């Protein structure tokens, strides 16, 4: 019997549309000898839809129409599978829609790539492909991620975290702190977004305030760091788990503007290929020793953050100093970075199979852990002062 893979995509994120592209690309690449794919579209208000139209890209120009002709569903934990039920329930109809053996989230951005959705899927009791709750959460928060990496001696640029409450209460103190700690130009980014949304470079105090206020439109917390002027960006994917992980070929994404923008990433061609259509040099034109250093740092970063499956780690090289920094990690990379693995001799079908095998391995390992601890603490337990507690020898609060 084939394994049923629920591919979840969409969700309440600014990268909703990119996720639709990434997921529909993947759905066409699974090994159909081994897997039956159940596509599950998650709307921006977190409802789930299945049906024959859900995997057709052309339907996403009219989402209301798509939803009207699709089946709304809910998920219920079953015995080693997650059962899918039609929702709302109708009295005399068949309520069961389908089931899945494994959940494969292909979602990008806040609320979905940050551990929230991974937690929800884990509660369904099925293996979940990719990073777990903690690695997803740490990977999504630019400040927390840098802090963890820095602690583990992985090179990152220093940054300052600012929350909107502090800024509104004392703008001057916040601006002074940034000025004292960082040199211009300074880049301001939302702490937990992706796809270059909400990012601006400030060259002076005036534009710094504009950049901060712009970024706060997208997140209550933002980070400031020095902006490298003579920058080369290199991306490298890593595939594996805590035991064994390997780095892909390196690419150099090419931007038209000061920063690699949303437009550069997804709208530079009309081919609807998401991250796979970015203008890039692959393999990147870098010296062999730089390439090897980046690939080693990529694997180190993956392991420090306890990742699983496929991720993409983005590096910045300062062309003046030749310093290499980890800029960020994408725990569910656009297009699952399949184009980098293709360059490394692994086709998309095998990449997806490997990600599923890693998720199954993790599930097996977790099943070996004992989650209960024998105790008689509840025996004779009472809340102090309440009826029946008098004379009890049990624990009192
Ligand atoms: N410190 C920096 N110096 C110069 N450019 C930067 C710096 N940080 C980010 N950028 C530019 O902004 C882009 C988006 O920033 P990034 O941190 O990757 O956020 P996102 O999660 O939105 O992709 C990068 O690809 C790069 O072009
Ligand atoms: Mg980025």
């Amino acid at each position: 019997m084939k394994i049923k893979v629920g591919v979840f995509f969409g969700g309440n994120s600014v990268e909703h549309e990119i996720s639709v592209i990434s997921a529909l690309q993947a759905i066409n690449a699974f090994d159909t000898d081994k897997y039956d794919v159940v596509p599950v579209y998650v709307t921006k208000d977190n409802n789930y839809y299945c049906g024959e139209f859900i995997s057709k890209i052309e339907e996403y120009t009219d989402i209301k129409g798509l939803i009207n002709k699709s089946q709304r569903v809910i998920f219920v934990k079953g015995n080693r599978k997650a059962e899918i039920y039609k929702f709302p329930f109708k009295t005399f109809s068949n309520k069961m829609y389908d089931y899945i053996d494994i959940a494969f989230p292909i979602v990008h951005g806040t609320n979905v790539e940050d551990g929230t959705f991974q937690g929800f899927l884990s509660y369904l009791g099925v293996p979940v492909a990719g990073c777990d709750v903690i690695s997803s959460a740490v990977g999504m928060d630019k400040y927390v991620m840098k802090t963890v990496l820095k602690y583990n001696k992985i090179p990152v640029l220093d940054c300052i975290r600012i929350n909107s409450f502090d800024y509104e209460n004392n703008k001057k103190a916040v601006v002074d702190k940034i000025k004292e700690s960082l040199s211009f130009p300074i880049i301001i980014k939302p702490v937990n977004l992706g796809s270059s949304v909400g990012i601006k470079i400030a060259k002076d105090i005036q534009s710094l305030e504009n950049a901060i206020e712009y970024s706060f439109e997208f997140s209550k917390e933002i980070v400031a760091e020095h902006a490298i002027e003579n920058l080369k960006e290199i991306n490298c994917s890593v595939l594996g788990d805590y035991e064994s992980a390997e780095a892909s070929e390196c690419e150099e994404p090419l931007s038209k503007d000061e920063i690699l923008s949303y437009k550069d990433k997804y709208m530079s061609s009309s081919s609807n290929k998401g991250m796979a259509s970015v203008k890039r040099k692959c393999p990147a034109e870098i010296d062999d020793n730089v390439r090897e250093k980046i690939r080693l740092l990529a694997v180190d970063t993956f392991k420090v953050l306890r990742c699983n499956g496929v991720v993409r780690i983005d590096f910045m090289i300062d062309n003046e100093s030749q310093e290499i920094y980890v800029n960020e990690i994408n725990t569910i990379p656009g297009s699952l970075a399949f184009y980098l693995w293709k360059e490394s001799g692994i086709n998309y079908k095998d990449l997806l199979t490997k990600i599923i095998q890693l998720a199954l391995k993790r599930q097996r390992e977790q099943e070996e852990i004992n989650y209960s601890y024998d105790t008689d603490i509840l025996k004779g337990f009472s809340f102090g002062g309440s009826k029946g507690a008098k004379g009890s020898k049990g624990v009192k609060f």
Side-chain angles (χ1 to χ4, degrees):
M1 201 131 111
K2 291 190 207 175
I3 295 177
K4 280 216 185 213
V5 184
V7 173
F8 294 78
F9 56 98
N12 181 19
S13 150
V14 292
E15 292 171 279
H16 182 98
E17 290 74 13
I18 312 307
S19 151
V20 173
I21 297 171
S22 285
L24 297 190
Q25 262 170 357
I27 284 168
N28 290 315
F30 278 92
D31 185 343
T32 49
D33 290 338
K34 293 192 178 95
Y35 308 112
D36 268 338
V37 176
V38 181
V40 184
Y41 172 58
V42 189
T43 60
K44 284 198 173 173
D45 50 1
N46 294 344
N47 293 322
Y48 303 92
Y49 284 87
C50 290
E52 62 169 302
F53 301 106
I54 289 298
S55 51
K56 298 197 162 80
I57 189 78
E58 60 282 5
E59 298 288 341
Y60 287 83
T61 50
D62 172 20
I63 291 189
K64 243 185 176 171
L66 170 64
I67 282 172
N68 280 338
K69 56 186 177 186
S70 300
Q71 177 63 55
R72 186 168 167 200
V73 296
I74 55 165
F75 291 82
V76 176
K77 184 183 174 304
N79 183 15
R80 292 187 160 263
K81 44 182 74 106
E83 291 166 357
I84 311 177
Y85 289 90
K86 295 176 189 171
F87 189 84
F89 298 127
K90 290 201 182 88
T91 320
F92 296 110
S93 71
N94 178 12
K95 294 172 185 64
M96 182 97 162
Y97 179 82
D98 210 335
Y99 71 89
I100 55 171
D101 299 299
I102 174 167
F104 201 132
I106 307 186
V107 282
H108 308 306
T110 333
N111 301 321
V112 278
E113 193 184 344
D114 61 1
T116 316
F117 196 48
Q118 287 66 22
F120 165 75
L121 294 173
S122 306
Y123 260 71
L124 296 176
V126 286
V128 182
C131 286
D132 66 2
V133 171
I134 188 75
S135 49
S136 303
V138 173
M140 179 57 74
D141 187 303
K142 290 189 188 336
Y143 180 80
V144 177
M145 174 206 65
K146 276 175 190 257
T147 308
V148 174
L149 293 184
K150 195 172 173 184
Y151 188 78
N152 285 279
K153 306 206 165 33
I154 292 179
V156 290
L157 279 178
D158 285 338
C159 74
I160 292 177
R161 177 169 63 174
I162 311 149
N163 70 56
S164 60
F165 177 79
D166 288 345
Y167 183 72
E168 272 150 34
N169 273 329
N170 196 344
K171 232 184 214 188
K172 190 177 172 307
V174 169
V175 171
D176 283 350
K177 186 176 173 197
I178 298 176
K179 259 187 345 193
E180 278 155 26
S181 324
L182 305 170
S183 57
F184 281 103
I186 291 169
I187 188 163
I188 305 288
K189 320 176 191 183
V191 80
N192 59 356
L193 249 60
S195 291
S196 304
V197 174
I199 297 184
K200 267 197 177 146
I201 292 184
K203 302 224 156 80
D204 49 36
I205 295 287
Q206 189 49 43
S207 57
L208 179 65
E209 288 182 19
N210 290 340
I212 292 174
E213 280 154 31
Y214 172 70
S215 208
F216 275 138
E217 289 175 25
F218 298 91
S219 177
K220 291 273 167 216
E221 248 177 28
I222 60 176
V223 286
E225 66 190 34
H226 172 66
I228 298 171
E229 286 176 279
N230 195 345
L231 172 72
K232 190 196 260 297
E233 294 186 68
I234 302 291
N235 300 344
C236 178
S237 178
V238 180
L239 173 66
D241 68 359
Y242 66 97
E243 262 183 331
S244 152
E246 106 178 84
S248 73
E249 188 48 83
C250 296
E251 64 163 340
E252 181 183 354
L254 301 172
S255 60
K256 288 202 211 80
D257 306 317
E258 210 171 15
I259 66 165
L260 192 64
S261 66
Y262 187 96
K263 216 163 143 196
D264 289 321
K265 286 176 181 170
Y266 309 118
M267 296 165 80
S268 51
S269 90
S270 55
S271 55
N272 271 344
K273 288 202 178 113
M275 217 24 218
S277 70
V278 172
K279 288 215 170 65
R280 60 167 54 83
K281 281 186 205 153
C282 190
E285 282 169 17
I286 42 177
D287 290 347
D288 279 354
N289 63 330
V290 175
R291 177 177 177 272
E292 275 329 292
K293 202 169 168 192
I294 285 179
R295 293 178 76 234
L296 284 174
L297 276 173
V299 171
D300 280 353
T301 302
F302 181 96
K303 290 199 170 176
V304 162
L305 299 178
R306 305 296 271 180
C307 295
N308 190 297
V310 75
V311 308
R312 197 190 75 232
I313 296 159
D314 297 350
F315 292 83
M316 297 191 292
I317 303 178
D318 185 335
N319 280 325
E320 314 248 287
S321 64
Q322 297 305 313
E323 291 294 332
I324 300 170
Y325 302 98
V326 171
N327 178 37
E328 65 156 343
I329 180 163
N330 297 280
T331 52
I332 306 183
S335 302
L336 297 184
F338 81 85
Y339 50 92
L340 285 171
W341 289 101
K342 202 167 144 200
E343 249 349 281
S344 313
I346 297 181
N347 66 35
Y348 203 179
K349 187 166 89 173
D350 294 341
L351 174 65
L352 293 166
T353 299
K354 179 81 187 157
I355 297 169
I356 289 178
Q357 285 168 347
L358 287 161
L360 296 172
K361 170 178 179 253
R362 179 175 51 196
Q363 186 80 351
R364 280 195 304 277
E365 288 169 355
Q366 272 169 1
E367 281 168 5
E368 288 164 10
I369 297 171
N370 190 354
Y371 284 104
S372 34
Y373 179 67
D374 276 338
T375 167
D376 58 0
I377 192 163
L378 290 178
K379 227 190 249 170
F381 183 92
S382 69
F383 291 104
S386 66
K387 209 175 150 203
K390 256 187 205 157
S392 160
K393 290 200 183 88
V395 185
K396 280 190 194 156
F397 280 80

